[in-house]
Amino acid sequence: MVNLVNLTRPIKQGEISNELPSRRANYFSVPFYALPIGCLLFVPLALLLLLRWRRESLAAWKTIIPEHLQKALVIGEQGWKSQLPLKLLSAILSLAIIVCAGPTWQREASPFGEDQGELVIVLDTSQSMMQSDLPPSRLERAKYKIRDLLQARQGGKTSLIVFAGSAHTAMPMTEDNQVFLPFLNAISPEVIPVQGKSAQAAIPQIQSQLKGSSSGSVLIISDGVASEAIEQYKTAFEDSNVLVMVMAVGSERNQSSAATDWDSLKQLANDTGGRYYALSIDNADVEQIAIDVERHMQISGESAMLGVIWATIWSFLLCC
């Protein structure tokens, strides 16, 4: 049994950066729309209103009664009062679409991503991760990055799966970094009962952790994967709504007896339609991952909300 207390390493000051690039509000600029795709609803709205206007303008009785008699017989439909209900309907629906698009003069964190987005971190703990081309070791540097990512995500739901020859869930989904960190610190190759490197062994556990999620993301941190793993990840996630991200761990400058297989990691990201990152000495990689996870959550949230907006608009129009 691994002693978590003895293996827990206190985080040194300066190792974690919890500040993403600041976002300065500009209250006099063009408004930003949280759901800009919602503005596309103006197209079908315009077509429907045009058809409705033409139908009322070409009413059957207007084709029978001469035009000079129509002006004398029709009361209350002259000037701005002409087709007043249709004009009011246009104004109300236009306002509703603008509100649904979410105009704002200040970019803030998406409400979809703060508490609902789920990230599964898949950490390679095979013996090759103990190489010291990234001091003190690839595994320790990967742990540093995970700690920084937890801080950058500011309480987002995260789980941890570790693999070597077999895969195991080290931490189920949680928002509590204080619970997460001691288990992360305790991870080493010795805690995995089967040695080797089988990234594909983590797939069933990834799917289990993201079951029911509409905006889940996976971050695979490794120094290389086999072609079999690439094929199985492609089959599992290529056509899914899961964002697959791959972080390559290693150094191109320092020699190692087990060099990082950069090409396999790039291919894994490419074949799954995901993102590839090389571990950097600063926080640029962590910040970009946090942004990509948030953007993925926003896109998934927009898709879900757009379906609700369409259903609401069509129901309203049918009732009219």
Side-chain angles (χ1 to χ4, degrees), residues 97-149:
I97 292 175
I98 295 174
V99 171
C100 290
T104 178
W105 277 260
Q106 183 176 7
R107 294 175 180 262
E108 295 184 354
S110 168
F112 300 111
E114 184 175 351
D115 295 321
Q116 300 175 11
E118 297 177 342
L119 172 64
V120 178
I121 299 176
V122 181
L123 177 61
D124 186 348
T125 57
S126 60
Q127 288 295 334
S128 64
M129 291 289 286
M130 298 306 294
Q131 294 291 317
S132 58
D133 53 343
L134 282 179
S137 70
R138 295 174 183 172
L139 181 58
E140 288 302 317
R141 290 290 288 272
K143 290 182 183 180
Y144 296 164
K145 290 297 181 179
I146 294 174
R147 296 186 189 102
D148 289 347
L149 182 58

Side-chain angles (χ1 to χ4, degrees), residues 38-263:
C39 294
L40 294 178
L41 293 174
F42 278 113
V43 177
L45 174 62
L47 293 175
L48 290 171
L49 293 176
L50 177 61
L51 293 175
R52 184 70 177 269
W53 175 80
R54 292 191 62 183
R55 187 178 68 179
E56 293 188 4
S57 299
L58 301 177
W61 66 270
K62 292 186 178 180
T63 61
I64 299 174
I65 302 176
E67 185 177 354
H68 67 281
L69 294 179
Q70 291 181 21
K71 296 180 180 180
L73 295 175
V74 176
I75 301 175
E77 291 193 7
Q78 302 298 324
W80 67 273
K81 293 183 179 181
S82 177
Q83 298 188 354
L84 183 59
L86 186 60
K87 293 178 180 178
L88 291 177
L89 177 62
S90 302
I92 293 172
L93 292 180
S94 298
L95 181 61
I97 292 175
I98 295 174
V99 171
C100 290
T104 178
W105 277 260
Q106 183 176 7
R107 294 175 180 262
E108 295 184 354
S110 168
F112 300 111
E114 184 175 351
D115 295 321
Q116 300 175 11
E118 297 177 342
L119 172 64
V120 178
I121 299 176
V122 181
L123 177 61
D124 186 348
T125 57
S126 60
Q127 288 295 334
S128 64
M129 291 289 286
M130 298 306 294
Q131 294 291 317
S132 58
D133 53 343
L134 282 179
S137 70
R138 295 174 183 172
L139 181 58
E140 288 302 317
R141 290 290 288 272
K143 290 182 183 180
Y144 296 164
K145 290 297 181 179
I146 294 174
R147 296 186 189 102
D148 289 347
L149 182 58
L150 292 175
Q151 290 290 335
R153 296 193 67 225
Q154 299 178 352
K157 296 179 181 178
T158 311
S159 70
L160 176 64
I161 298 173
V162 295
F163 75 89
S166 59
H168 308 271
T169 300
M171 175 58 59
M173 283 290 175
T174 180
E175 300 177 5
D176 192 344
N177 292 350
Q178 299 306 315
V179 173
F180 193 105
L181 290 174
F183 286 89
L184 173 65
N185 293 334
I187 297 301
S188 68
E190 289 74 23
V191 304
I192 308 298
V194 180
Q195 295 303 307
K197 188 186 287 285
S198 179
Q200 64 270 27
I203 293 177
Q205 299 188 51
I206 295 172
Q207 294 172 330
S208 176
Q209 291 294 317
L210 293 178
K211 186 177 181 180
S213 173
S214 62
S215 58
S217 302
V218 178
L219 174 62
I220 303 169
I221 304 177
S222 179
D223 57 5
V225 293
S227 58
E228 181 182 359
I230 297 174
E231 287 298 324
Q232 292 192 28
Y233 272 92
K234 179 179 179 180
T235 301
F237 299 111
E238 182 181 26
D239 297 324
S240 71
N241 197 36
V242 175
L243 172 63
V244 177
M245 302 173 291
V246 181
M247 174 179 281
V249 184
S251 174
E252 294 180 317
R253 293 180 298 178
N254 300 330
Q255 293 185 351
S256 170
S257 59
T260 297
D261 189 351
W262 308 99
D263 291 338

